[in-house]
Amino acid sequence: MNLTLHVWRQKGPQDKGKLETYQAKDVSPDESFLEMLDEVNDHLIKSGKDPIAFDHDCREGICGMCSQVINGRPHGQQELTTVCQLHMRQFKDGDEIFIEPWRARAFPIIKDLIVDRSALDAVMQAGGYASCHTGGVADANDLLIGKPVADYAMDAAECIGCGACVAACPNSSAMLFTSAKVAQLAVLPQGKPEARRRVQAMTKAILDEGFGNCTNHYECEAACPKGISVKFIAKLNREYIKSMVPSSAE
Ligand code: SF4
Ligand code: FES
């Protein structure tokens, strides 16, 4: 199939940027979206032009790097799919496709489709970990965890930190991302001792990093390639309120 691509080109953070149009010819329906872009880049390089800069790493839906807004939707129109897992069979001959970077104040554009998502790392560094000593593997496995709790934590742990939730939210809120990290650790025995400090530090970090607040649009859940539920935002809110109540130890 032959496609017309309108791609956001921006030389650097200070450049104004604009959409440029390219033709993608003889695209196989079996190619992934990133393979289609690789071919377009081959042609650009052979004709002495600057290839389109875009982020990618695992190309199997794990790393969260492939951040692109395709036809107005982060990761494209197919539900529960990262850009690297999106296949060209989802498009048809003659289609026009608009490809843009994540757009959020906390994600400055570095070049073309690449944005700086280190603001998400800063939120993680503020508290998205458990620092208590749990011993070796065998010791950690001695701690019995009920199946419903393990399932709940695993559902939250599916978040790959891609930032599509931020890109989809009209407020550029990072609440879905943060809530997945807070909720995962808050229900596990290893994470509980630091739950109060964690939720305080991570919610402060999302404001410090320039993310907006959550006003319940649910666009985050709709865009999330891993199906992270907004129920975790409710859990984050409960954890935050709990953290405001002094504990008996204080
Ligand atoms: S919550 Fe979903 S959309 Fe947001 S960073 Fe995690 S995987 Fe990506
Ligand atoms: S490249 Fe790793 S999730 Fe897409």
Side-chain angles (χ1 to χ4, degrees):
M1 70 183 110
N2 295 322
L3 305 161
T4 301
L5 309 181
H6 303 284
V7 186
W8 186 259
R9 302 303 308 263
Q10 186 171 333
K11 289 190 176 71
Q14 308 311 326
D15 185 32
K16 226 168 126 206
K18 63 177 187 316
L19 286 169
E20 286 188 5
T21 302
Y22 304 98
Q23 301 303 321
K25 295 206 167 85
D26 299 324
V27 175
S28 161
D30 298 327
E31 284 177 15
S32 76
F33 200 83
L34 296 187
E35 286 166 338
M36 181 275 294
L37 283 181
D38 290 339
E39 289 184 357
V40 171
N41 273 346
D42 275 349
H43 289 297
L44 287 173
I45 292 165
K46 280 178 190 146
S47 56
K49 295 192 180 128
D50 196 21
I52 301 157
F54 62 91
D55 258 334
H56 60 99
D57 191 358
C58 70
R59 295 200 175 202
E60 51 186 16
I62 296 170
C63 72
M65 289 295 284
C66 50
S67 47
Q68 295 174 23
V69 174
I70 300 166
N71 288 341
R73 300 192 61 176
H75 292 298
Q77 78 275 30
Q78 187 173 294
E79 282 183 8
L80 304 176
T81 308
T82 52
V83 173
C84 58
Q85 294 181 305
L86 183 64
H87 279 84
M88 297 315 294
R89 66 182 76 97
Q90 300 300 326
F91 300 90
K92 54 184 191 315
D93 189 38
D95 269 359
E96 296 202 29
I97 307 176
F98 289 80
I99 310 171
E100 296 172 86
W102 281 180
R103 294 197 190 276
R105 186 171 54 148
F107 292 158
I109 294 177
I110 297 171
K111 185 174 181 187
D112 298 340
L113 306 174
I114 298 180
V115 301
D116 178 356
R117 289 175 303 150
S118 53
L120 289 185
D121 298 334
V123 174
M124 281 300 280
Q125 283 159 7
Y129 52 83
S131 61
C132 64
H133 182 59
T134 56
V137 174
D139 303 327
N141 286 341
D142 277 348
L143 207 57
L144 296 179
I145 297 168
K147 177 91 168 66
V149 172
D151 285 350
Y152 182 96
M154 280 303 291
D155 286 349
E158 275 199 76
C159 168
I160 55 173
C162 65
C165 45
V166 178
C169 175
N171 305 329
S172 298
S173 166
M175 285 283 267
L176 192 65
F177 164 82
T178 310
S179 71
K181 309 302 177 190
V182 165
Q184 177 201 340
L185 291 167
V187 295
L188 294 174
Q190 295 92 336
K192 282 188 183 197
E194 292 165 300
R196 293 159 62 90
R197 188 201 61 78
R198 175 181 309 112
V199 71
Q200 292 273 343
M202 290 183 83
T203 46
K204 178 176 182 308
I206 55 180
L207 295 177
D208 290 349
E209 292 300 319
F211 294 108
N213 222 325
C214 172
T215 46
N216 297 321
H217 288 268
Y218 291 14
E219 294 290 338
C220 53
E221 184 181 88
C224 177
K226 295 298 163 185
I228 301 294
S229 164
V230 290
K231 77 179 180 191
F232 294 120
I233 297 181
K235 172 70 173 165
L236 180 142
N237 289 334
R238 289 197 298 277
E239 287 296 313
Y240 186 77
I241 291 166
K242 250 168 48 187
S243 76
M244 307 288 273
V245 180
S247 78
S248 54
E250 290 166 358

